[in-house]
Amino acid sequence: MPLRERRDGIILVADDNELNRELLSSLLGQEGYQVICVTDGAQALERVNHDSIDLALLDVVMPRKTGFDVCLAIKSKPETRLIPVVLLTSLTGDDDRIHGVMCGADDFLSKPVNKHELLARVHSLLRLKQFTDELDNAEAVLFSLALSIEAKDPYTEGHCDRLSRYSVAVADKLGLPEDLRVALRRGGLVHDIGKLAVPEHILLKPGPLTPEERKIMEQHTVAGERICAPLRSFRHALPIIRHHHEKQDGTGYPDGLKGEQVPLTARILQITDIYDALTTDRPYRKALSTKKAFAIMLEEVKRGWWDGSLLNEFEAVVHAYEPVQPAGGAQ
């Protein structure tokens, strides 16, 4: 009998019954998958945390930790929550299935396992995991590109990470939903990615820009939106990328939006962006103190540039999380 072509995918099988482990390992191994077998829930979690697992098949009733426990732990960690989990059980009650759903299980298989159903479910979930991994890779490329822009200027080291953390802290304080907090985290990291389209002689020019050069620089918001638009996971971050240089009085760019027309997430990021610029060293001046930075920003609020209510919220965040300030911003 010819050997089957090796399939992509490392599958974890966790079951305290040796015959069940051997059966599942044989069925999946014959299909070309790499199979890792463990005998209890604690071992399963250890392998998930240390190996590159693509799918987990978990018996519900196991010693040390149940399949429910392991599933909940996997789905609770950002590093592992996208691993598909299938619970294997002879339990038939609705309460047990509801418990599994609440733990984050992606699917259920009843014992004794039907071979064809098992392979169909495994194949489908591994395809979904592959798409997810490709999306993660695309996001990683965007983040790397954004950091490469930051690395060109020694004065902006850590800028994107600080904006991301500050913006999420403000979103938490405002009680914004998870999708907008994620958008602010991503937007903070990639808001200036459109500067990839700006020539270096303009991007790194030490003196003032000419009107023509400024017009080119201002297009980085539009270019950034265009770069990130193909990723559906960035759809909530696009308004941040495009509009973080708008002003409340309509004198910003690229669209001259006014007041509430400027998306809330963009208003949050721009407040943190200005603060970080003021409290870090620049070629033309030393970092300002927190007190001085907020005094300048308050004056700009009075001119009609920024959202004053958000400035107040952000100031409270900064004072609550004083250790996250850039060193130059300390008073």
Side-chain angles (χ1 to χ4, degrees), residues 111-287:
K111 292 183 175 181
V113 174
N114 177 284
K115 170 185 175 180
H116 301 292
E117 184 181 13
L118 167 70
L119 296 178
R121 302 280 181 90
V122 165
H123 179 64
S124 176
L125 287 171
L126 284 175
R127 284 187 63 209
L128 182 60
K129 178 63 162 54
Q130 182 181 9
F131 296 148
T132 303
D133 288 345
E134 290 173 356
L135 176 60
D136 278 349
N137 290 337
E139 290 183 1
V141 169
L142 286 182
F143 294 145
S144 296
L145 287 173
L147 290 176
S148 74
I149 297 169
E150 183 181 276
K152 291 180 180 180
D153 185 351
Y155 290 96
T156 60
E157 181 181 1
H159 171 72
C160 292
D161 180 60
R162 289 192 296 273
L163 260 60
S164 181
R165 290 187 288 115
Y166 279 140
S167 298
V168 172
V170 173
D172 287 340
K173 191 171 189 304
L174 294 174
L176 298 189
E178 176 68 12
D179 58 344
L180 296 186
R181 293 202 297 270
V182 171
L184 281 163
R185 179 180 63 80
R186 290 171 171 160
L189 293 173
V190 304
H191 66 287
D192 276 340
I193 196 169
K195 288 181 178 178
L196 286 168
V198 178
E200 285 205 3
H201 73 274
I202 296 177
L203 188 64
L204 302 178
K205 186 175 179 179
L209 299 180
T210 67
E212 293 76 16
E213 290 170 339
R214 179 157 295 281
K215 182 176 289 188
I216 293 171
M217 176 67 87
E218 290 179 356
Q219 286 302 301
H220 81 272
T221 58
V222 178
E225 181 189 41
R226 187 167 60 247
I227 290 168
C228 296
L231 282 181
R232 290 186 61 192
S233 61
F234 273 68
R235 63 188 180 278
H236 293 302
L238 296 182
I240 300 171
I241 297 166
R242 184 179 181 97
H243 297 301
H244 67 278
H245 283 293
E246 304 283 1
K247 292 180 179 177
Q248 292 287 285
D249 62 0
T251 61
Y253 64 87
D255 300 313
L257 302 183
K258 292 184 178 181
E260 295 293 318
Q261 292 178 333
V262 184
L264 174 61
T265 48
R267 281 181 271 149
I268 290 172
L269 187 100
Q270 65 186 193
I271 288 286
T272 67
D273 194 7
I274 297 156
Y275 174 80
D276 193 70
L278 291 172
T279 56
T280 52
D281 289 334
R282 288 294 185 265
Y284 47 87
R285 60 152 176 79
K286 286 291 187 180

Side-chain angles (χ1 to χ4, degrees), residues 68-134:
F68 293 137
D69 296 332
V70 177
C71 180
L72 183 60
I74 290 173
K75 297 299 184 178
S76 297
K77 293 180 63 176
E79 313 93 272
T80 59
R81 64 186 176 194
L82 297 180
I83 297 174
V85 174
V86 179
L87 294 178
L88 308 175
T89 179
S90 55
L91 304 174
T92 57
D94 288 342
D95 289 345
D96 296 311
R97 286 190 170 262
I98 292 172
H99 189 190
V101 170
M102 296 301 292
C103 291
D106 296 276
D107 212 337
F108 298 85
L109 285 175
S110 298
K111 292 183 175 181
V113 174
N114 177 284
K115 170 185 175 180
H116 301 292
E117 184 181 13
L118 167 70
L119 296 178
R121 302 280 181 90
V122 165
H123 179 64
S124 176
L125 287 171
L126 284 175
R127 284 187 63 209
L128 182 60
K129 178 63 162 54
Q130 182 181 9
F131 296 148
T132 303
D133 288 345
E134 290 173 356

